Amino acid sequence: MIIIPTYDADGRLNYFTARSFEKEPYVKYRNPSVSRDIIPNEHLINWNIPIVICEGLFDAIAIKRNAIPLLGKNIQSSLMKKIVTSLVDKIYIALDRDAIKQALKFCEKLMAEGKEVYLVDLQDKDPSEMGFKNFTKLIQKTVPLTYYDLMEQKLAL
């Protein structure tokens, strides 16, 4: 197992994920039995520049810059509150296609809070599969989401 820790703004351990590196593992992930209502890797986040919301720690590692992993598919209340009250104005949502409903809910909420939101079309690949260069190219081509685009995406579900 590979163990990846996350830390709060003060550098204190606040969570960890253990992932198997075996091809056919008996258990792929092991997570602690504690609340996920944290801000993973907050010690690495600059709240004055755009952030990228992704699903997992390996995705955040691949993205490298200002990436916040959700440790799943849901934005916990602590993270949502921090995003809404922060100075960050541009937010990139980069969740897998199987989480499109959640992603659209996040987009709608953040747009209602006056944030400029970008829904990144991952084209059936995780950021960790794409790698830094390809993900960066993709994110640079992503345009801000409009309410029209949001409704169009919702109707397509």
Side-chain angles (χ1 to χ4, degrees):
M1 288 269 178
I2 297 171
I3 298 172
I4 303 173
T6 80
Y7 300 93
D8 66 15
D10 298 319
R12 291 184 303 253
L13 180 71
N14 62 5
Y15 199 79
F16 70 87
T17 294
R19 181 176 175 165
S20 176
F21 54 84
E22 297 171 356
K23 192 170 190 160
E24 301 277 333
Y26 175 70
V27 175
K28 189 172 182 178
Y29 288 99
R30 284 219 189 262
N31 296 310
S33 300
V34 297
S35 173
R36 291 186 186 192
D37 192 12
I38 59 163
I39 302 171
N41 289 334
E42 187 176 11
H43 70 295
L44 299 174
I45 304 304
N46 179 343
W47 295 100
N48 297 308
I49 62 174
I51 58 172
V52 180
I53 303 295
C54 59
E55 285 187 35
L57 286 165
F58 284 96
D59 295 328
I61 290 167
I63 294 166
K64 294 184 184 180
R65 299 185 182 132
N66 242 27
I68 303 172
L70 298 180
L71 307 174
K73 298 180 187 322
N74 295 306
I75 294 181
Q76 300 294 329
S77 59
S78 295
L79 177 56
M80 183 60 83
K81 182 178 177 183
K82 181 69 176 190
I83 293 170
V84 169
T85 60
S86 73
L87 296 176
V88 68
D89 57 350
K90 293 182 183 179
I91 301 155
Y92 292 84
I93 307 289
L95 303 184
D96 299 349
R97 284 196 189 269
D98 66 341
I100 190 67
K101 282 185 180 180
Q102 293 99 320
L104 292 172
K105 284 181 189 175
F106 306 153
C107 291
E108 188 170 16
K109 172 141 180 64
L110 293 167
M111 289 169 70
E113 294 289 343
K115 304 293 184 177
E116 187 173 29
V117 178
Y118 297 74
L119 183 60
V120 182
D121 182 3
L122 296 178
Q123 305 159 353
D124 293 325
K125 285 191 173 182
D126 290 345
S128 61
E129 292 174 290
M130 286 181 197
F132 174 71
K133 281 186 181 181
N134 289 330
F135 183 80
T136 301
K137 287 177 189 174
L138 180 62
I139 210 168
Q140 288 172 342
K141 292 189 293 187
T142 303
V143 297
L145 193 64
T146 65
Y147 279 106
Y148 179 83
D149 297 331
L150 179 66
M151 289 304 129
E152 199 170 55
Q153 291 262 1
K154 284 177 136 186
L155 290 171
L157 295 178

PDB file of all heavy atoms in Angstrom, residues 48-75:
ATOM      1  N   ASN A  48      -6.063  32.864  -3.362  1.00  0.00           N
ATOM      2  CA  ASN A  48      -6.151  34.102  -4.129  1.00  0.00           C
ATOM      3  C   ASN A  48      -6.081  33.866  -5.634  1.00  0.00           C
ATOM      4  O   ASN A  48      -6.169  34.813  -6.403  1.00  0.00           O
ATOM      5  CB  ASN A  48      -5.020  35.053  -3.718  1.00  0.00           C
ATOM      6  CG  ASN A  48      -5.125  35.450  -2.272  1.00  0.00           C
ATOM      7  OD1 ASN A  48      -6.163  35.909  -1.812  1.00  0.00           O
ATOM      8  ND2 ASN A  48      -4.054  35.251  -1.526  1.00  0.00           N
ATOM      9  N   ILE A  49      -5.892  32.627  -6.044  1.00  0.00           N
ATOM     10  CA  ILE A  49      -5.808  32.303  -7.472  1.00  0.00           C
ATOM     11  C   ILE A  49      -6.770  31.154  -7.776  1.00  0.00           C
ATOM     12  O   ILE A  49      -7.280  30.516  -6.850  1.00  0.00           O
ATOM     13  CB  ILE A  49      -4.358  31.935  -7.885  1.00  0.00           C
ATOM     14  CG1 ILE A  49      -3.863  30.697  -7.141  1.00  0.00           C
ATOM     15  CG2 ILE A  49      -3.410  33.119  -7.654  1.00  0.00           C
ATOM     16  CD1 ILE A  49      -2.499  30.195  -7.605  1.00  0.00           C
ATOM     17  N   PRO A  50      -7.030  30.863  -9.069  1.00  0.00           N
ATOM     18  CA  PRO A  50      -7.974  29.790  -9.409  1.00  0.00           C
ATOM     19  C   PRO A  50      -7.618  28.461  -8.761  1.00  0.00           C
ATOM     20  O   PRO A  50      -6.444  28.125  -8.594  1.00  0.00           O
ATOM     21  CB  PRO A  50      -7.855  29.697 -10.935  1.00  0.00           C
ATOM     22  CG  PRO A  50      -7.438  31.067 -11.363  1.00  0.00           C
ATOM     23  CD  PRO A  50      -6.529  31.551 -10.264  1.00  0.00           C
ATOM     24  N   ILE A  51      -8.668  27.707  -8.402  1.00  0.00           N
ATOM     25  CA  ILE A  51      -8.481  26.371  -7.827  1.00  0.00           C
ATOM     26  C   ILE A  51      -9.089  25.332  -8.761  1.00  0.00           C
ATOM     27  O   ILE A  51      -9.950  25.650  -9.585  1.00  0.00           O
ATOM     28  CB  ILE A  51      -9.107  26.243  -6.418  1.00  0.00           C
ATOM     29  CG1 ILE A  51     -10.603  26.543  -6.438  1.00  0.00           C
ATOM     30  CG2 ILE A  51      -8.379  27.112  -5.416  1.00  0.00           C
ATOM     31  CD1 ILE A  51     -11.326  26.250  -5.125  1.00  0.00           C
ATOM     32  N   VAL A  52      -8.619  24.103  -8.608  1.00  0.00           N
ATOM     33  CA  VAL A  52      -9.153  22.978  -9.370  1.00  0.00           C
ATOM     34  C   VAL A  52      -9.698  21.972  -8.366  1.00  0.00           C
ATOM     35  O   VAL A  52      -8.977  21.540  -7.464  1.00  0.00           O
ATOM     36  CB  VAL A  52      -8.064  22.306 -10.236  1.00  0.00           C
ATOM     37  CG1 VAL A  52      -8.654  21.137 -11.020  1.00  0.00           C
ATOM     38  CG2 VAL A  52      -7.407  23.310 -11.169  1.00  0.00           C
ATOM     39  N   ILE A  53     -10.955  21.605  -8.530  1.00  0.00           N
ATOM     40  CA  ILE A  53     -11.590  20.599  -7.684  1.00  0.00           C
ATOM     41  C   ILE A  53     -11.551  19.271  -8.443  1.00  0.00           C
ATOM     42  O   ILE A  53     -12.035  19.188  -9.576  1.00  0.00           O
ATOM     43  CB  ILE A  53     -13.063  20.967  -7.373  1.00  0.00           C
ATOM     44  CG1 ILE A  53     -13.178  22.335  -6.719  1.00  0.00           C
ATOM     45  CG2 ILE A  53     -13.722  19.879  -6.543  1.00  0.00           C
ATOM     46  CD1 ILE A  53     -12.561  22.439  -5.364  1.00  0.00           C
ATOM     47  N   CYS A  54     -10.955  18.266  -7.829  1.00  0.00           N
ATOM     48  CA  CYS A  54     -10.863  16.946  -8.460  1.00  0.00           C
ATOM     49  C   CYS A  54     -11.311  15.887  -7.456  1.00  0.00           C
ATOM     50  O   CYS A  54     -11.586  16.208  -6.302  1.00  0.00           O
ATOM     51  CB  CYS A  54      -9.439  16.689  -8.959  1.00  0.00           C
ATOM     52  SG  CYS A  54      -8.178  16.753  -7.671  1.00  0.00           S
ATOM     53  N   GLU A  55     -11.356  14.633  -7.893  1.00  0.00           N
ATOM     54  CA  GLU A  55     -11.874  13.577  -7.014  1.00  0.00           C
ATOM     55  C   GLU A  55     -10.865  13.047  -6.015  1.00  0.00           C
ATOM     56  O   GLU A  55     -11.143  12.961  -4.831  1.00  0.00           O
ATOM     57  CB  GLU A  55     -12.434  12.427  -7.845  1.00  0.00           C
ATOM     58  CG  GLU A  55     -13.773  12.770  -8.454  1.00  0.00           C
ATOM     59  CD  GLU A  55     -14.438  11.593  -9.134  1.00  0.00           C
ATOM     60  OE1 GLU A  55     -14.301  10.450  -8.652  1.00  0.00           O
ATOM     61  OE2 GLU A  55     -15.101  11.828 -10.152  1.00  0.00           O
ATOM     62  N   GLY A  56      -9.705  12.643  -6.474  1.00  0.00           N
ATOM     63  CA  GLY A  56      -8.795  11.939  -5.588  1.00  0.00           C
ATOM     64  C   GLY A  56      -7.434  12.570  -5.425  1.00  0.00           C
ATOM     65  O   GLY A  56      -7.059  13.506  -6.141  1.00  0.00           O
ATOM     66  N   LEU A  57      -6.694  12.031  -4.474  1.00  0.00           N
ATOM     67  CA  LEU A  57      -5.352  12.547  -4.189  1.00  0.00           C
ATOM     68  C   LEU A  57      -4.392  12.353  -5.358  1.00  0.00           C
ATOM     69  O   LEU A  57      -3.559  13.216  -5.626  1.00  0.00           O
ATOM     70  CB  LEU A  57      -4.800  11.887  -2.930  1.00  0.00           C
ATOM     71  CG  LEU A  57      -5.417  12.392  -1.630  1.00  0.00           C
ATOM     72  CD1 LEU A  57      -5.096  11.459  -0.477  1.00  0.00           C
ATOM     73  CD2 LEU A  57      -4.928  13.785  -1.325  1.00  0.00           C
ATOM     74  N   PHE A  58      -4.503  11.233  -6.071  1.00  0.00           N
ATOM     75  CA  PHE A  58      -3.622  11.023  -7.221  1.00  0.00           C
ATOM     76  C   PHE A  58      -3.933  12.023  -8.333  1.00  0.00           C
ATOM     77  O   PHE A  58      -3.033  12.476  -9.042  1.00  0.00           O
ATOM     78  CB  PHE A  58      -3.714   9.583  -7.736  1.00  0.00           C
ATOM     79  CG  PHE A  58      -2.978   8.608  -6.868  1.00  0.00           C
ATOM     80  CD1 PHE A  58      -3.641   7.887  -5.894  1.00  0.00           C
ATOM     81  CD2 PHE A  58      -1.615   8.421  -7.010  1.00  0.00           C
ATOM     82  CE1 PHE A  58      -2.970   6.992  -5.079  1.00  0.00           C
ATOM     83  CE2 PHE A  58      -0.929   7.528  -6.201  1.00  0.00           C
ATOM     84  CZ  PHE A  58      -1.604   6.813  -5.229  1.00  0.00           C
ATOM     85  N   ASP A  59      -5.206  12.394  -8.492  1.00  0.00           N
ATOM     86  CA  ASP A  59      -5.572  13.431  -9.450  1.00  0.00           C
ATOM     87  C   ASP A  59      -4.929  14.761  -9.052  1.00  0.00           C
ATOM     88  O   ASP A  59      -4.354  15.466  -9.886  1.00  0.00           O
ATOM     89  CB  ASP A  59      -7.091  13.601  -9.523  1.00  0.00           C
ATOM     90  CG  ASP A  59      -7.789  12.373 -10.077  1.00  0.00           C
ATOM     91  OD1 ASP A  59      -7.202  11.679 -10.932  1.00  0.00           O
ATOM     92  OD2 ASP A  59      -8.932  12.108  -9.655  1.00  0.00           O
ATOM     93  N   ALA A  60      -5.029  15.104  -7.783  1.00  0.00           N
ATOM     94  CA  ALA A  60      -4.444  16.365  -7.297  1.00  0.00           C
ATOM     95  C   ALA A  60      -2.930  16.382  -7.499  1.00  0.00           C
ATOM     96  O   ALA A  60      -2.359  17.407  -7.867  1.00  0.00           O
ATOM     97  CB  ALA A  60      -4.787  16.573  -5.820  1.00  0.00           C
ATOM     98  N   ILE A  61      -2.291  15.246  -7.282  1.00  0.00           N
ATOM     99  CA  ILE A  61      -0.842  15.163  -7.494  1.00  0.00           C
ATOM    100  C   ILE A  61      -0.512  15.397  -8.968  1.00  0.00           C
ATOM    101  O   ILE A  61       0.431  16.116  -9.301  1.00  0.00           O
ATOM    102  CB  ILE A  61      -0.304  13.799  -7.006  1.00  0.00           C
ATOM    103  CG1 ILE A  61      -0.369  13.737  -5.478  1.00  0.00           C
ATOM    104  CG2 ILE A  61       1.123  13.558  -7.492  1.00  0.00           C
ATOM    105  CD1 ILE A  61      -0.152  12.340  -4.905  1.00  0.00           C
ATOM    106  N   ALA A  62      -1.307  14.809  -9.874  1.00  0.00           N
ATOM    107  CA  ALA A  62      -1.072  14.973 -11.311  1.00  0.00           C
ATOM    108  C   ALA A  62      -1.323  16.410 -11.761  1.00  0.00           C
ATOM    109  O   ALA A  62      -0.597  16.939 -12.609  1.00  0.00           O
ATOM    110  CB  ALA A  62      -1.950  14.015 -12.108  1.00  0.00           C
ATOM    111  N   ILE A  63      -2.334  17.048 -11.201  1.00  0.00           N
ATOM    112  CA  ILE A  63      -2.675  18.427 -11.572  1.00  0.00           C
ATOM    113  C   ILE A  63      -1.606  19.395 -11.079  1.00  0.00           C
ATOM    114  O   ILE A  63      -1.310  20.391 -11.722  1.00  0.00           O
ATOM    115  CB  ILE A  63      -4.070  18.804 -11.030  1.00  0.00           C
ATOM    116  CG1 ILE A  63      -5.135  17.965 -11.734  1.00  0.00           C
ATOM    117  CG2 ILE A  63      -4.352  20.291 -11.202  1.00  0.00           C
ATOM    118  CD1 ILE A  63      -6.501  17.999 -11.077  1.00  0.00           C
ATOM    119  N   LYS A  64      -1.051  19.124  -9.937  1.00  0.00           N
ATOM    120  CA  LYS A  64       0.049  19.869  -9.314  1.00  0.00           C
ATOM    121  C   LYS A  64      -0.329  21.215  -8.730  1.00  0.00           C
ATOM    122  O   LYS A  64       0.071  21.542  -7.635  1.00  0.00           O
ATOM    123  CB  LYS A  64       1.227  20.086 -10.290  1.00  0.00           C
ATOM    124  CG  LYS A  64       1.926  18.845 -10.703  1.00  0.00           C
ATOM    125  CD  LYS A  64       3.125  19.184 -11.584  1.00  0.00           C
ATOM    126  CE  LYS A  64       3.789  17.929 -12.089  1.00  0.00           C
ATOM    127  NZ  LYS A  64       4.933  18.218 -12.921  1.00  0.00           N
ATOM    128  N   ARG A  65      -1.026  22.047  -9.448  1.00  0.00           N
ATOM    129  CA  ARG A  65      -1.217  23.440  -9.051  1.00  0.00           C
ATOM    130  C   ARG A  65      -2.597  23.724  -8.488  1.00  0.00           C
ATOM    131  O   ARG A  65      -3.597  23.654  -9.196  1.00  0.00           O
ATOM    132  CB  ARG A  65      -0.972  24.349 -10.253  1.00  0.00           C
ATOM    133  CG  ARG A  65       0.421  24.219 -10.779  1.00  0.00           C
ATOM    134  CD  ARG A  65       0.672  25.202 -11.892  1.00  0.00           C
ATOM    135  NE  ARG A  65       2.012  25.015 -12.396  1.00  0.00           N
ATOM    136  CZ  ARG A  65       2.310  24.909 -13.666  1.00  0.00           C
ATOM    137  NH1 ARG A  65       1.377  24.985 -14.581  1.00  0.00           N
ATOM    138  NH2 ARG A  65       3.560  24.741 -14.042  1.00  0.00           N
ATOM    139  N   ASN A  66      -2.641  24.065  -7.224  1.00  0.00           N
ATOM    140  CA  ASN A  66      -3.869  24.518  -6.565  1.00  0.00           C
ATOM    141  C   ASN A  66      -5.049  23.557  -6.739  1.00  0.00           C
ATOM    142  O   ASN A  66      -6.175  23.995  -6.953  1.00  0.00           O
ATOM    143  CB  ASN A  66      -4.240  25.925  -7.032  1.00  0.00           C
ATOM    144  CG  ASN A  66      -4.236  26.892  -5.883  1.00  0.00           C
ATOM    145  OD1 ASN A  66      -3.535  26.713  -4.891  1.00  0.00           O
ATOM    146  ND2 ASN A  66      -5.023  27.936  -6.009  1.00  0.00           N
ATOM    147  N   ALA A  67      -4.762  22.274  -6.661  1.00  0.00           N
ATOM    148  CA  ALA A  67      -5.794  21.253  -6.805  1.00  0.00           C
ATOM    149  C   ALA A  67      -6.255  20.761  -5.437  1.00  0.00           C
ATOM    150  O   ALA A  67      -5.443  20.483  -4.565  1.00  0.00           O
ATOM    151  CB  ALA A  67      -5.257  20.089  -7.624  1.00  0.00           C
ATOM    152  N   ILE A  68      -7.570  20.665  -5.287  1.00  0.00           N
ATOM    153  CA  ILE A  68      -8.150  20.190  -4.035  1.00  0.00           C
ATOM    154  C   ILE A  68      -8.914  18.908  -4.320  1.00  0.00           C
ATOM    155  O   ILE A  68      -9.920  18.931  -5.034  1.00  0.00           O
ATOM    156  CB  ILE A  68      -9.099  21.240  -3.425  1.00  0.00           C
ATOM    157  CG1 ILE A  68      -8.373  22.566  -3.212  1.00  0.00           C
ATOM    158  CG2 ILE A  68      -9.686  20.718  -2.116  1.00  0.00           C
ATOM    159  CD1 ILE A  68      -9.281  23.700  -2.787  1.00  0.00           C
ATOM    160  N   PRO A  69      -8.451  17.789  -3.767  1.00  0.00           N
ATOM    161  CA  PRO A  69      -9.190  16.537  -3.963  1.00  0.00           C
ATOM    162  C   PRO A  69     -10.386  16.465  -3.022  1.00  0.00           C
ATOM    163  O   PRO A  69     -10.311  16.900  -1.878  1.00  0.00           O
ATOM    164  CB  PRO A  69      -8.153  15.469  -3.619  1.00  0.00           C
ATOM    165  CG  PRO A  69      -7.258  16.128  -2.623  1.00  0.00           C
ATOM    166  CD  PRO A  69      -7.217  17.589  -3.009  1.00  0.00           C
ATOM    167  N   LEU A  70     -11.478  15.921  -3.526  1.00  0.00           N
ATOM    168  CA  LEU A  70     -12.683  15.777  -2.704  1.00  0.00           C
ATOM    169  C   LEU A  70     -12.647  14.516  -1.853  1.00  0.00           C
ATOM    170  O   LEU A  70     -13.483  14.360  -0.980  1.00  0.00           O
ATOM    171  CB  LEU A  70     -13.931  15.733  -3.590  1.00  0.00           C
ATOM    172  CG  LEU A  70     -14.220  16.971  -4.423  1.00  0.00           C
ATOM    173  CD1 LEU A  70     -15.487  16.763  -5.250  1.00  0.00           C
ATOM    174  CD2 LEU A  70     -14.343  18.196  -3.546  1.00  0.00           C
ATOM    175  N   LEU A  71     -11.723  13.615  -2.145  1.00  0.00           N
ATOM    176  CA  LEU A  71     -11.675  12.316  -1.482  1.00  0.00           C
ATOM    177  C   LEU A  71     -12.966  11.558  -1.760  1.00  0.00           C
ATOM    178  O   LEU A  71     -13.502  10.860  -0.921  1.00  0.00           O
ATOM    179  CB  LEU A  71     -11.442  12.460   0.028  1.00  0.00           C
ATOM    180  CG  LEU A  71     -10.238  13.290   0.448  1.00  0.00           C
ATOM    181  CD1 LEU A  71     -10.216  13.478   1.954  1.00  0.00           C
ATOM    182  CD2 LEU A  71      -8.947  12.663  -0.046  1.00  0.00           C
ATOM    183  N   GLY A  72     -13.479  11.758  -2.966  1.00  0.00           N
ATOM    184  CA  GLY A  72     -14.733  11.145  -3.390  1.00  0.00           C
ATOM    185  C   GLY A  72     -15.411  12.030  -4.415  1.00  0.00           C
ATOM    186  O   GLY A  72     -14.757  12.695  -5.207  1.00  0.00           O
ATOM    187  N   LYS A  73     -16.728  12.082  -4.349  1.00  0.00           N
ATOM    188  CA  LYS A  73     -17.488  12.837  -5.339  1.00  0.00           C
ATOM    189  C   LYS A  73     -18.304  13.985  -4.754  1.00  0.00           C
ATOM    190  O   LYS A  73     -19.054  14.628  -5.462  1.00  0.00           O
ATOM    191  CB  LYS A  73     -18.407  11.888  -6.108  1.00  0.00           C
ATOM    192  CG  LYS A  73     -17.641  10.819  -6.875  1.00  0.00           C
ATOM    193  CD  LYS A  73     -18.559   9.902  -7.619  1.00  0.00           C
ATOM    194  CE  LYS A  73     -17.881   8.725  -8.256  1.00  0.00           C
ATOM    195  NZ  LYS A  73     -16.602   8.891  -8.831  1.00  0.00           N
ATOM    196  N   ASN A  74     -18.166  14.238  -3.457  1.00  0.00           N
ATOM    197  CA  ASN A  74     -18.960  15.277  -2.810  1.00  0.00           C
ATOM    198  C   ASN A  74     -18.085  16.343  -2.176  1.00  0.00           C
ATOM    199  O   ASN A  74     -17.061  16.028  -1.582  1.00  0.00           O
ATOM    200  CB  ASN A  74     -19.864  14.666  -1.742  1.00  0.00           C
ATOM    201  CG  ASN A  74     -20.899  13.750  -2.338  1.00  0.00           C
ATOM    202  OD1 ASN A  74     -21.640  14.150  -3.225  1.00  0.00           O
ATOM    203  ND2 ASN A  74     -20.950  12.523  -1.880  1.00  0.00           N
ATOM    204  N   ILE A  75     -18.524  17.587  -2.293  1.00  0.00           N
ATOM    205  CA  ILE A  75     -17.834  18.678  -1.614  1.00  0.00           C
ATOM    206  C   ILE A  75     -18.369  18.719  -0.183  1.00  0.00           C
ATOM    207  O   ILE A  75     -19.579  18.894   0.028  1.00  0.00           O
ATOM    208  CB  ILE A  75     -18.060  20.043  -2.301  1.00  0.00           C
ATOM    209  CG1 ILE A  75     -17.413  20.054  -3.679  1.00  0.00           C
ATOM    210  CG2 ILE A  75     -17.497  21.168  -1.437  1.00  0.00           C
ATOM    211  CD1 ILE A  75     -17.554  21.371  -4.425  1.00  0.00           C
TER     212      ILE A  75
END
